[in-house]
Amino acid sequence: DSDHEVPSYLAERMANVRRRRQDRRPAEASSLKSKIITWEPSEEFKKNSHVINTPVQTMYIMGDLGPYGKLGHREYEHVLCTVKVDGNGVITVKPDFTGAKGAYRIEQDGEKREVWKYTIENVSVRVQPEEEEREQRVFTDVRTGLTGPGVHSLFSVSAQGYEYDNLYVHFFVELPSQWSSPVFQQLSGVTQTCATKTVGWDKVAHFCYPFTLDMFFTQGDESEDSLPQWPVLYFEVLSLDFWQRYRVEGYGSLVLPASPGLHMLTTPTWRPVELGTVAELRRFFIGGSPELEDITYARIPSTFKGERLSRFGFRTETTGSVTFRLYCLQQSKAFLETSALRQRMQSVLDRLGGFSQQSSVYGVLEAFQRARRRMQEARQSLPQDLISTSASSAHFVSRP
């Protein structure tokens, strides 16, 4: 409790302790287990092992208390306040804010024995209650996904059954209308070149390439009958051999799963071919092969605006397949609201296809709409007198 007491080295180091170290190397842990006592520890070992290290950034508020005309001399400089910020976001001010404790004193050495008094106050503008409430509301909206149902996907990829070795995959995700992603989000990627390994009868390349994707769906002004499109993953498999010969091995596309959880999806691929043996000889000896100018042609081209898509005359060859391991997470504020809001937002969730049954529901609704249009067209083509006669002669009898 003495005013002249100086804190020890251990006390100063332990003052910054906030959490356990998570960045210890496995080699250090194994060495400590095998060697319990270190008879000749180094200074670095003492600092790292004796106390817990937390990264700290230190800033000083200095005061030059020299007389007029002697400013800038080191002997007149004094530390008025020390501000430390550690890796956990904890701010330490030493000495503390003055408050009701009175001013701090600095007594200089010398003939005059000058005494300086100063105070430390927090003069930051206090946040207004309205701004604090708005900020809290923004944080809540971000956590619960106010912009609409959000989809978070993480996937890795493997390829098997291709003709040549040293494969790599180029892919990108196409977002339909009403879908968006963060500005910093990358929608495409290229895996590393991977040599295949024989597993059973196939040559398999395990890329172990994780790719994270965040997407958001925003409800528009479309009618309730319309169904939103789901994001599509387009990819192409290529090979590059020792002589830098480049070949296209296959194209494919995959609609991202509409239900959360783990999905293992295998997609077959194909590649364009030319008639005759010249193209295959060129592919074998010098590399190179026919390529798609627009990779979306693997499904429905992005430039297609017609009603029927014909690929007549386009020759392809079946190649291998690509397996995607997808982890999907879906988040929406509708999952947490009251039953009234759930009923109001249920239209959005239903339009997303009921998640696990989207494909079947989508097909049934499309077939129903087509049948309804055909019935309306047939009804319009009939004479009006026949329609009125059939309507007047129709009777329904209810039986118990």
Side-chain angles (χ1 to χ4, degrees):
D1 299 331
S2 174
D3 296 337
H4 302 287
E5 183 179 1
V6 179
S8 63
Y9 172 78
L10 179 61
E12 290 182 351
R13 299 281 292 188
M14 294 300 293
N16 296 324
V17 173
R18 291 294 182 272
R19 60 179 174 84
R20 295 184 179 273
R21 287 187 62 192
Q22 300 294 335
D23 55 349
R24 289 186 180 272
R25 300 177 182 176
E28 295 181 0
S30 61
S31 62
L32 290 176
K33 290 181 180 179
S34 61
K35 190 176 182 181
I36 301 178
I37 301 176
T38 303
W39 296 105
E40 297 180 358
S42 60
E43 293 298 328
E44 187 68 22
F45 180 81
K46 293 179 183 179
K47 293 180 180 179
N48 295 334
S49 302
H50 190 62
V51 294
I52 301 176
N53 286 335
T54 302
V56 177
Q57 183 178 4
T58 305
M59 295 163 283
Y60 300 97
I61 300 177
M62 306 289 294
D64 192 345
L65 308 182
Y68 181 77
K70 294 185 178 180
L71 298 178
H73 293 274
R74 191 176 185 83
E75 59 270 16
Y76 296 115
E77 294 180 355
H78 294 269
V79 178
L80 303 180
C81 181
T82 303
V83 181
K84 295 182 179 180
V85 181
D86 62 11
N88 299 320
V90 178
I91 301 176
T92 304
V93 180
K94 187 178 181 180
D96 200 355
F97 297 120
T98 304
K101 295 183 297 184
Y104 295 105
R105 294 164 52 94
I106 295 180
E107 185 176 349
Q108 288 186 299
D109 298 334
E111 299 178 355
K112 296 183 179 181
R113 306 289 293 181
E114 294 180 347
V115 177
W116 296 78
K117 294 183 178 182
Y118 67 97
T119 58
I120 302 177
E121 299 179 2
N122 183 11
V123 296
S124 300
V125 179
R126 184 175 180 82
V127 180
Q128 299 296 327
E130 296 81 6
E131 297 180 0
E132 186 175 359
E133 182 180 358
R134 184 171 66 252
E135 183 179 359
Q136 188 66 27
R137 188 165 57 251
V138 170
F139 289 157
T140 305
D141 294 342
V142 170
R143 288 196 302 267
T144 57
L146 182 61
T147 57
V151 179
H152 174 85
S153 299
L154 172 66
F155 63 85
S156 58
V157 62
S158 62
Q160 58 274 343
Y162 288 97
E163 181 180 3
Y164 289 92
D165 203 346
N166 297 321
L167 304 174
Y168 65 97
V169 179
H170 174 219
F171 60 89
F172 80 93
V173 178
E174 182 183 46
L175 298 180
S177 59
Q178 299 181 352
W179 286 88
S180 61
S181 62
V183 179
F184 56 86
Q185 176 69 64
Q186 292 185 356
L187 299 178
S188 62
V190 181
T191 66
Q192 76 280 6
T193 303
C194 180
T196 58
K197 178 182 179 181
T198 302
V199 178
W201 295 96
D202 294 330
K203 294 182 179 180
V204 183
H206 295 281
F207 295 97
C208 297
Y209 182 86
F211 184 80
T212 305
L213 179 64
D214 293 318
M215 301 169 291
F216 303 96
F217 176 79
T218 305
Q219 184 180 11
D221 299 332
E222 298 182 1
S223 61
E224 298 293 334
D225 296 335
S226 62
L227 293 173
Q229 297 180 352
W230 206 259
V232 181
L233 174 66
Y234 295 94
F235 62 91
E236 60 175 333
V237 183
L238 307 104
S239 63
L240 187 67
D241 61 9
F242 176 78
W243 302 102
Q244 300 299 310
R245 289 179 295 190
Y246 155 89
R247 303 176 180 89
V248 174
E249 299 294 334
Y251 292 96
S253 64
L254 171 69
V255 180
L256 295 184
S259 59
L262 171 62
H263 303 271
M264 294 285 294
L265 303 178
T266 301
T267 304
T269 59
W270 51 265
R271 66 179 182 89
V273 294
E274 296 181 6
L275 292 177
T277 59
V278 177
E280 294 301 318
L281 290 174
R282 185 189 306 113
R283 172 182 169 85
F284 178 82
F285 286 104
I286 63 176
S289 56
E291 302 180 22
L292 294 181
E293 184 177 355
D294 184 5
I295 193 175
T296 59
Y297 196 80
R299 192 168 179 263
I300 299 178
S302 58
T303 57
F304 178 72
K305 302 298 182 182
E307 296 181 356
R308 296 177 178 84
L309 176 62
S310 176
R311 288 190 171 95
F312 181 76
F314 182 62
R315 297 182 178 273
T316 61
E317 180 185 52
T318 302
T319 55
S321 60
V322 178
T323 301
F324 292 91
R325 185 183 183 94
L326 299 105
Y327 301 87
C328 298
L329 173 67
Q330 295 177 351
Q331 181 182 16
S332 175
K333 189 176 182 180
F335 301 153
L336 305 177
E337 291 294 337
T338 59
S339 58
L341 185 57
R342 283 201 194 101
Q343 294 176 359
R344 192 170 63 202
M345 292 293 294
Q346 191 63 33
S347 61
V348 180
L349 302 180
D350 291 340
R351 291 176 61 206
L352 292 180
F355 297 111
S356 60
Q357 301 178 355
Q358 186 204 18
S359 57
S360 59
V361 174
Y362 187 84
V364 170
L365 290 179
E366 274 195 342
F368 173 76
Q369 291 177 1
R370 288 195 300 267
R372 185 178 181 182
R373 285 195 299 267
R374 287 197 299 267
M375 185 176 61
Q376 291 177 351
E377 292 175 358
R379 185 179 179 87
Q380 292 174 1
S381 61
L382 292 176
Q384 295 295 327
D385 54 352
L386 181 60
I387 298 176
S388 59
T389 303
S390 60
S392 61
S393 60
H395 299 278
F396 295 93
V397 180
S398 61
R399 299 181 181 273

